[in-house]
Amino acid sequence: MNIRDLEYLIALADFKHFRKAADACNVSQPTLSGQIRKLEDELGTILLERTSRKVLFTQAGLVLVEQAKSVLREVKILKEMASNQGKEMSGPILIGLIPTLGPYLSPLILPQLKKRFPELDIYIYELQTSVLVEQLESGQLDCGIVAFTPASENFIEVPLFNEKMRLAVPNSHPWAKMDCLALNQLRDQELLMLDSGHCLRTHAMSYCTSIGAKENPRFKASSLETLRNMVAADVGIALIPELATQVNPNPNLTYLTFTDPEPYRAVGLIYRPGTPLRQRYEQLAKAIKEIMDGQQ
């Protein structure tokens, strides 16, 4: 048994699919499947129920997955302690980034981070909040950049910036000629939403609930770009984070600002409590905050 075998097992638990787990581990499907069988033989127990449709874990498999996550967390701490013996801002760093931030935030911060910390090897992984939190918890990621939700409360949260929300409407909409509107004007309106798994949906639903707006039940989008295209096609209206409104302009869309109160989401960096690399993550967060402050 080795650490890599445990990583394969955890990936399979995350994806419940051999090909997807193999892709995530950058190995072939036969390699991953063979190592899992080898692990079963070594332990003398069946970890999986293999069917043609899906992967089911036995009770022994579920117990081992949790123990494997604990082992990988300890291994991660050992690696961090070793890394901390060298230069603080050098070596690899694995950062998780949520999809509603990744395409819009990365181009703003990565070039400047590379200039500030030339010896830091930055790897970005775009993941939905739930997966990002799981991988950060298990030690597969070093830190994450997220919109704060209850899911991030178990980590150290370092605020970076507040991102305002804009209202996207099609040019044919009666509000399209307005510059701004009061948030309570959304009362009784139906808004398009992202599907479950996106923390932006959580924030949008929170604002809708507070003012009496509703979700459009006929459509759900899997990405911000799909959401914007649906609005441009006159399917409905939607709350869009401000960074996303600044790229890929669509001539069929109008973005409206809100008067007080302005809806927003708090964006920050999260990392595990007790990590030996606390100063590294705090420095990284400070640099990102300075970069974003300079964008205003």
Side-chain angles (χ1 to χ4, degrees):
M1 184 190 305
N2 56 49
I3 297 300
R4 194 64 173 145
D5 292 340
L6 299 182
E7 291 175 344
Y8 294 156
L9 187 69
I10 292 172
L12 198 54
D14 288 340
F15 292 98
K16 304 292 193 298
H17 192 282
F18 274 97
R19 181 182 58 77
K20 291 179 181 178
D23 288 345
C25 294
N26 295 314
V27 297
S28 68
Q29 183 174 329
T31 295
L32 185 138
S33 181
Q35 288 302 114
I36 295 295
R37 287 191 181 279
K38 181 181 175 183
L39 185 60
E40 288 179 318
D41 291 341
E42 185 177 346
L43 295 172
T45 187
I46 302 299
L47 303 176
L48 307 174
E49 295 179 20
R50 296 168 174 84
T51 70
S52 58
R53 292 189 175 184
K54 56 185 176 180
V55 174
L56 297 175
F57 277 78
T58 63
Q59 185 60 39
L62 291 173
V63 171
L64 186 60
V65 166
E66 291 308 309
Q67 190 61 39
K69 289 180 178 179
S70 177
V71 169
L72 288 186
R73 279 194 295 270
E74 295 302 317
V75 169
K76 186 69 178 176
I77 290 174
L78 285 174
K79 289 181 177 179
E80 288 177 346
M81 291 174 69
S83 177
N84 205 29
Q85 299 302 312
K87 295 181 180 178
E88 199 164 71
M89 301 305 287
S90 66
I93 182 169
L94 284 60
I95 305 174
L97 195 55
I98 58 175
T100 55
L101 274 172
Y104 320 108
L105 183 63
S106 295
L108 298 177
I109 65 173
L110 285 182
Q112 295 197 51
L113 289 177
K114 288 180 179 180
K115 287 181 180 178
R116 293 189 187 207
F117 310 118
E119 296 184 34
L120 198 62
D121 298 324
I122 300 174
Y123 296 84
I124 298 293
Y125 297 87
E126 193 174 280
L127 303 164
Q128 288 191 1
T129 302
S130 58
V131 179
L132 188 156
V133 164
E134 286 179 8
Q135 293 198 7
L136 182 57
E137 203 166 49
S138 67
Q140 294 168 269
L141 294 173
D142 293 313
C143 60
I145 299 176
V146 301
F148 291 153
T149 66
S152 64
E153 291 177 354
N154 291 331
F155 301 94
I156 302 297
E157 297 177 325
V158 187
L160 296 176
F161 59 92
N162 290 335
E163 185 180 22
K164 297 176 182 178
M165 308 290 279
R166 306 277 296 278
L167 183 69
V169 300
N171 290 345
S172 59
H173 196 279
W175 291 344
K177 297 188 183 302
M178 299 171 59
D179 292 324
C180 61
L181 73 161
L183 187 60
N184 61 16
Q185 287 181 255
L186 294 181
R187 180 173 288 116
D188 297 326
Q189 296 289 319
E190 286 191 347
L191 275 72
L192 301 175
M193 298 281 180
L194 290 175
D195 58 18
S196 58
H198 291 278
C199 60
L200 179 60
R201 173 185 172 83
T202 303
H203 290 99
M205 286 297 295
S206 175
Y207 281 112
C208 286
T209 301
S210 69
I211 59 177
K214 298 172 287 186
E215 178 183 5
N216 186 318
R218 294 178 291 279
F219 296 93
K220 282 188 176 65
S222 59
S223 71
L224 269 184
E225 295 312 304
T226 301
L227 195 64
R228 291 203 291 191
N229 288 335
M230 289 165 65
V231 175
D234 204 6
V235 174
I237 61 178
L239 291 172
I240 303 289
E242 191 169 38
L243 287 179
T245 69
Q246 298 169 1
V247 298
N248 302 330
N250 189 317
N252 299 315
L253 278 183
T254 297
Y255 295 108
L256 306 179
T257 59
F258 290 94
T259 55
D260 289 337
E262 288 185 290
Y264 69 91
R265 59 178 181 172
V267 175
L269 184 142
I270 60 174
Y271 61 87
R272 290 180 297 278
T275 173
L277 297 181
R278 180 187 182 101
Q279 290 304 313
R280 172 182 287 194
Y281 306 138
E282 292 287 343
Q283 280 196 52
L284 185 69
K286 181 181 178 183
I288 294 172
K289 187 176 188 310
E290 289 174 355
I291 292 168
M292 295 307 296
D293 286 346
Q295 297 291 324
Q296 297 178 358

